[in-house]
Each structure stands twice: as structure tokens, then as C-alpha cells.
Amino acid sequence: MAEVVAVFAATHTPLFLLRRNEPAQEVQDEVFSCYERMGKAMLDRGAEALVVFENDHLHSLFLDRHPSLAVGVKPTYHNVASEAYMPEVEGGRKGDAALGLYLVNALLQSNFDPAMCQEIEFDHSIVSPLYLMGDPAIPIVPILQNTVAPPLAPARRAYQLGIAVRRALETYDRVERVAVLATGGPSHWIGTPELGRIDEEWDESVIAPLREGNAKSLSEWSQEKIDAGGNGGNELRNWLSAAALAGDTRAKVLCYRPEPCWFLGVTALEWPVGPAL
């Protein structure tokens, strides 16, 4: 049985890399130190695998083959060629193909239909937060949800996914300790006239139920309510998966910093791991 030893959520944005030093120094200090602490915590707790709930931005999975749910099953991951500015790890970032394949089979038994991806690479969804975390040397299994193009699965499906992944991990015996990261932003707009807008009220309407241990209420949000946080607000699904996996416990807000230079409210959360739902 693999024990889940850490569950985090953290904003991703390419602007962490492209505009790393543009915000005020105090913002940089707060955000970068927060991400570093998350990476260190995963290592300190002995994580042997890192499951990442994330989403591709039409780099590895384009519209002609964009599944609602996909699992990476590879021994090594490289950066997508379309984001050449991203820092690469020498030799690539190590994956855990065995755990990935196990999760594909387990999710099939839990009435999910994931695509098994053996050629996918990483975009900024996963590279930008991991880079700020110090790129902890933990083998990765990416679980990608479609958050970018209709038709989109209902939010409750993301919550159910977290429950199913937790159950699967608890019967996996090839590693003992697993960390979980959900990447994504709160409200933000990508490639629209509202690019750069930050809706702090919408952000709080998401963060407050997570603090209260009530992610389930967010899982019942309509698509219209999610869209009020911008097309990037659909990444809420990744956070819902992590919250459900942790047992829908009360999340601790490690950071919330609206930053115009980065076009969103940088957010980091941690859920204590409670009983499985």
C-alpha cells in the first residue's frame, strides 16, 4: 500500500519563467520561497513518486486528439518543443511508467476511460511549478484533464477522479510513499481581451470552500459558474482532484498573491491527508 504523504496545489504560468524577476522583490521572495518549501517537503517526507494533476495547453494534445482524461506512461519526459524557453533537466525528468500503467488499469476498473500516453511531453503546466520547487528528483506520473476546449467534463468528474486515484494508490505496492501536486491557476484569461484580469472575488469563492474542507460543493458548480473565472478558471478541476484525493480535508493556504505581472493570483495550498473518501 502506497501512503500519500503530501498533497499540494500550486499555480502554473509561463510568466514565472518569462517574467521571473519583474514583480516587486517582496513578491518574488514570498512566492519563490513558498514553492521551494513545497518541493523540500516532498523530499523530506520521502516521496518515491509524484502524481501530478495537470492539463496540457494544446502542445502535446492538440484538438484533433484531445482526450478528457489521459495518463502519462513513460520512463522519461522532456519539454514540449513549442515552449523552448522552459528550463530542461539534463536527461529529462524521470517518470514512473509502472505506476502510470497501474493507474490506467485501476481507473478503467473505476469507470474512467483514460488515454494511455507514451509520447506526451511536458508543457509549462508542470514545468513552471516544478522548476520553482527546485525540480525535486522524484519520478513523475502526470494525469491530464481537459480544461482548455469544449466539451469539458463536469467538475464533479474531477472530484470523483481524485477519489479513484487515492483508492488505486492504496493498493499499489511498488512504492511506499507518494506525493501529489495539482497545478493550475485561479481566475485568469488566456488569449482573450480580458488577458491580465485578476478576479479576487472569484478566487476567494474557490479558496474559501477548500479552506473549509468542502471541495465537494465546488464540484457541483455549473460550467457557467466556472467560466466566470476565465477560461483558465477551468483548471479548478485539477485542484478538485487533489482535494478529493486528500479526503476533502481543510486546506491550508500557503500563499495567495495577486500579481499583475504574472496575470493571476498566485496560489499555493496544502491539504492534510485524511481518511479516503
Side-chain angles (χ1 to χ4, degrees):
M1 170 179 163
E3 178 188 3
V4 178
V5 296
V7 182
F8 294 106
T11 304
H12 68 241
T13 173
L15 298 179
F16 283 156
L17 308 172
L18 295 170
R19 295 183 173 181
R20 178 182 174 94
N21 298 319
E22 290 190 19
Q25 188 62 52
E26 66 179 47
V27 175
Q28 295 180 47
D29 292 345
E30 177 185 353
V31 170
F32 298 155
S33 65
C34 179
Y35 277 67
E36 288 168 3
R37 289 195 300 273
M38 287 187 282
K40 185 175 185 298
M42 295 176 191
L43 293 172
D44 289 348
R45 297 174 196 178
E48 301 163 80
L50 173 59
V51 173
V52 183
F53 293 106
E54 56 142 338
N55 54 280
D56 182 72
H57 297 82
L58 305 181
H59 294 285
S60 275
L61 300 170
F62 196 61
L63 294 174
D64 61 343
R65 49 186 174 89
H66 206 289
S68 293
L69 177 65
V71 179
V73 181
K74 289 186 65 178
T76 307
Y77 295 89
H78 295 279
N79 296 347
V80 293
S82 49
E83 293 185 324
Y85 59 84
M86 294 193 303
E88 181 70 277
V89 171
E90 184 177 357
R93 291 175 175 86
K94 187 175 181 181
D96 189 329
L99 176 53
L101 180 58
Y102 172 83
L103 289 177
V104 169
N105 283 300
L107 288 172
L108 287 168
Q109 297 302 314
S110 296
N111 298 315
F112 286 87
D113 296 289
M116 183 178 71
C117 296
Q118 295 177 293
E119 295 185 1
I120 197 169
E121 305 296 359
F122 286 165
D123 78 356
H124 70 267
S125 172
I126 187 167
V127 173
S128 65
L130 285 181
Y131 175 70
L132 294 187
M133 291 176 186
D135 263 313
I138 306 171
I140 300 166
V141 177
I143 300 178
L144 299 95
Q145 301 181 78
N146 174 23
T147 69
V148 301
L152 298 170
R156 65 178 176 275
R157 196 66 172 154
Y159 189 87
Q160 294 163 352
L161 175 64
I163 294 172
V165 172
R166 170 73 178 271
R167 290 175 177 169
L169 290 173
E170 291 190 338
T171 59
Y172 188 67
D173 62 4
R174 295 184 64 175
V175 299
E176 294 183 358
R177 292 170 294 279
V178 176
V180 175
L181 172 65
T183 84
S187 66
H188 62 293
W189 285 258
I190 305 168
T192 75
E194 293 180 289
L195 179 67
R197 178 186 170 198
I198 300 171
D199 189 337
E200 295 183 42
E201 184 176 346
W202 190 91
D203 293 351
E204 177 58 21
S205 72
V206 168
I207 293 171
L210 299 178
R211 281 197 306 255
E212 296 160 4
N214 192 17
K216 189 173 184 180
S217 68
L218 294 175
S219 75
E220 298 305 322
W221 274 20
S222 66
Q223 186 57 49
E224 181 180 15
K225 194 167 184 179
I226 295 172
D227 285 339
N231 51 0
N234 283 288
E235 293 166 0
L236 166 66
R237 289 169 171 79
N238 296 329
W239 293 9
L240 290 177
S241 297
L245 186 149
D248 208 350
T249 54
R250 293 175 179 266
K252 179 181 179 181
V253 179
L254 306 178
C255 174
Y256 177 72
R257 170 70 78 156
E259 177 44 61
C261 287
W262 290 330
F263 294 172
L264 46 67
V266 179
T267 309
L269 307 169
E270 180 176 10
W271 286 270
V273 181
L277 296 176

